[in-house]
Amino acid sequence: TFNIMFILSVSLVFSSFKILESQRDGRSYLYNIYYDDYQTDDLIYSKEAVPYLKYEADIEFKGNSIKYNVVGLDNLNEAFHLLDEKGRQVDTSEGIVLNPELEENYGIKVGDLIYLVIKGKRYEMPVTDIGENAALKTVYVSKTQAAEMIQRDDKVFNGVLTNHLVD
């Protein structure tokens, strides 16, 4: 039994390290500020403050309905880069980038079509990549696309990634 316990503990350490590493990679910000209400402050846009849009949606795929967060984020920023399994930067401008959990648990793969259901409206989205460092329970689209799906201006945001506290 000692050998089994030792093997299990080593396996757990390696698994934990992989998860922690995935949540560090591609991130170069100190603060993730989230607002309860949508913001439109033009002063927030800079290299040091990257606004994003986040809200809940249902993902529909092959009879499954899964509650998830949608994050709309511009690709060209210095604070956060989604990375694929080979460590290459992932592009959110052409479709939806999934968290690895959706591939592992539901079999959704790159090239599949899924539906995002937001406020009762269905949006068909092609899966363009898997973001190995994606936040848990989160999928990613372009910020413009995220704003369109909730019928808002593309300057609207409710979160900021930054290295400085924002008023």
Side-chain angles (χ1 to χ4, degrees), residues 119-132:
K119 296 181 181 179
K121 189 167 180 185
R122 294 176 88 211
Y123 299 89
E124 186 178 71
M125 307 283 297
V127 176
T128 56
D129 221 320
I130 307 295
E132 292 296 319

Side-chain angles (χ1 to χ4, degrees), residues 40 53 143-144 147-148 150-157:
T40 57
L53 191 55
K143 189 164 169 302
T144 300
E148 286 174 5
I150 60 168
Q151 300 171 352
R152 297 284 181 147
D153 182 86
D154 67 350
K155 288 204 182 258
V156 163
F157 62 94

Side-chain angles (χ1 to χ4, degrees), residues 60-84:
E60 291 182 351
F61 181 75
K62 293 186 177 177
N64 293 305
S65 182
I66 312 148
K67 258 223 194 306
Y68 244 68
N69 292 311
V70 175
V71 170
L73 186 67
D74 292 326
N75 279 332
L76 302 174
N77 74 73
E78 296 180 18
F80 178 62
H81 302 287
L82 280 169
L83 304 172
D84 68 11

Side-chain angles (χ1 to χ4, degrees), residues 79-118:
F80 178 62
H81 302 287
L82 280 169
L83 304 172
D84 68 11
E85 64 184 13
K86 294 180 181 174
R88 296 177 300 214
Q89 188 172 342
V90 171
D91 182 7
T92 59
S93 66
E94 299 297 320
I96 190 165
V97 177
L98 304 182
N99 178 297
E101 175 199 18
L102 290 169
E103 181 181 41
E104 293 166 10
N105 293 343
Y106 296 95
I108 305 173
K109 297 183 177 19
V110 173
D112 286 342
L113 291 175
I114 65 170
Y115 289 94
L116 283 183
V117 181
I118 302 161

